[in-house]
Amino acid sequence: MIKKCLFPAAGYGTRFLPATKAIPKEMLPIVNKPLIQYGVEEAIEAGIYNMAIVTGRGKRALEDHFDISYELEHQIKNTNKEGYLKDIRNLLKCCNFSYTRQMEMKGLGHAILCGETLIGNEAFAVILSDDLCDSGEEKGVLAQMCEVYKKYRCSIVAIEEVAIEDVSKYGIISGRKMDENVFVIDDMIEKPSKEKAPSNLAIIGRYILTPDIFEILSHTAPGKNGEIQITDALLEQCKKGMVLGYRFKGIRYDCGSIDGFVRATNVFYEKTLKG
């Protein structure tokens, strides 16, 4: 049903300076794998094999990662290190990668709008790589959302409960429960104060969007922090049709923060030790 996944990857990653001065934040490794590769693998698990990446200046490493390194391949061929490239080789065989640039940093909504040329007129997924999701024995978060999309055929955002003290860090939704873990959204606010937050259900970095979102984004005025917010565009979609919030099964690590990055590293390191 969903054939393309968009990865907005043009941000500066300022919370990780000076590390991200020359390295894209999406290339920061959790153990031995960069964040964006975890996102691509989640998309593959959901049956999506066309990856559309919105990059910016200084992001060449993303394109190099999803490409063949002939010199490296030659150096480690027939050695015990060759197996380290098995996963990325398999990924390159099954996926198509396309790229476009976001020339100005005008917010997530603008980054998604920049991806229109890669997506076209079809529903698509969005993954924010610095939200690393671990679903354990469950299907991945995006695979869960694709099942919801098959049933309802509308835009869907992944949501989770957060502490009321943290609502100012997220887009917050309100709505009525329609199905198990599925909410019909009637309002959403970008980074509200805890006094103005309609709930503690926060939008995290997983979306399925219908193609009309591009037209809405093209007419969306700058909002919070002078940026084009995807939250504002989704609220407009709510008024015209239906947008759902899906409370996913799994754990999200905010790897855009140092605390979340360290927690994810420790958890995924323990997983490698267990095989």
Side-chain angles (χ1 to χ4, degrees):
M1 299 295 297
I2 304 295
K3 298 178 181 179
K4 296 178 181 178
C5 185
L6 185 69
F7 291 83
Y12 294 122
T14 51
R15 286 186 286 179
F16 278 88
L17 286 171
T20 48
K21 183 175 181 289
I23 301 171
K25 67 175 181 176
E26 296 83 8
M27 288 300 297
L28 293 174
I30 299 296
V31 189
N32 63 342
K33 191 186 301 182
L35 281 166
I36 195 165
Q37 187 172 332
Y38 285 99
V40 169
E41 290 172 352
E42 184 180 329
I44 291 171
E45 184 195 3
I48 302 170
Y49 298 96
N50 295 293
M51 312 301 166
I53 303 178
V54 179
T55 67
R57 288 177 294 279
K59 299 281 186 166
R60 179 64 184 271
L62 293 169
E63 297 183 38
D64 289 341
H65 182 68
F66 296 115
D67 197 356
I68 297 171
S69 175
Y70 290 102
E71 295 84 356
L72 177 61
E73 294 268 356
H74 176 73
Q75 289 294 325
I76 66 174
K77 187 176 181 179
N78 298 324
T79 71
N80 60 357
K81 297 180 180 179
E82 192 173 12
Y84 295 155
L85 292 179
K86 180 181 177 181
D87 288 348
I88 188 68
R89 281 174 176 166
N90 291 337
L91 187 151
L92 293 177
K93 287 178 182 177
C94 72
C95 290
N96 296 311
F97 293 88
S98 57
Y99 303 87
T100 192
R101 278 200 174 196
Q102 183 183 16
M103 299 297 185
E104 299 177 84
M105 302 301 103
K106 294 183 178 179
L108 177 57
H110 181 259
I112 291 173
L113 181 58
C114 288
E116 182 179 11
T117 185
L118 304 177
I119 298 299
N121 187 32
E122 60 184 282
F124 62 103
V126 178
I127 287 181
L128 305 188
S129 299
D130 50 7
D131 272 347
L132 177 57
C133 295
D134 180 12
S135 298
E137 299 300 316
E138 298 283 345
K139 292 181 179 179
V141 173
L142 198 56
Q144 296 172 38
M145 294 175 70
C146 283
E147 289 187 350
V148 177
Y149 177 78
K150 287 178 183 178
K151 185 174 182 180
Y152 295 105
R153 306 293 181 92
C154 64
S155 289
I156 304 164
V157 299
I159 56 174
E160 70 172 359
E161 293 185 24
V162 298
I164 195 66
E165 293 77 14
D166 292 332
V167 293
S168 61
K169 301 176 183 178
Y170 301 92
I172 302 296
I173 70 111
S174 69
R176 58 181 176 83
K177 193 171 183 179
M178 182 170 68
D179 203 344
E180 184 181 7
N181 295 319
V182 177
F183 296 78
V184 178
I185 296 174
D186 54 39
D187 194 13
M188 57 180 76
I189 303 175
E190 182 66 22
K191 298 179 180 178
S193 65
K194 63 181 181 180
E195 291 78 19
K196 294 184 178 180
S199 75
N200 68 333
L201 292 173
I203 301 170
I204 66 107
R206 299 292 183 277
Y207 306 77
I208 291 178
L209 302 174
T210 51
D212 56 307
I213 196 69
F214 293 125
E215 176 65 20
I216 296 171
L217 282 168
S218 70
H219 295 98
T220 298
K224 192 82 172 184
N225 300 324
E227 298 178 335
I228 298 175
Q229 301 290 347
I230 186 62
T231 307
D232 294 338
L234 286 166
L235 184 56
E236 184 65 25
Q237 246 189 351
C238 286
K239 297 174 182 177
K240 296 179 178 180
M242 183 169 70
V243 176
L244 300 179
Y246 173 67
R247 188 160 55 191
F248 62 92
K249 299 172 184 176
I251 300 171
R252 176 192 67 102
Y253 298 95
D254 177 11
C255 292
S257 71
I258 291 176
D259 287 347
F261 184 86
V262 172
R263 281 197 296 272
T265 298
N266 291 335
V267 169
F268 279 75
Y269 176 67
E270 291 297 326
K271 285 177 176 285
T272 63
L273 292 180
K274 294 176 183 178

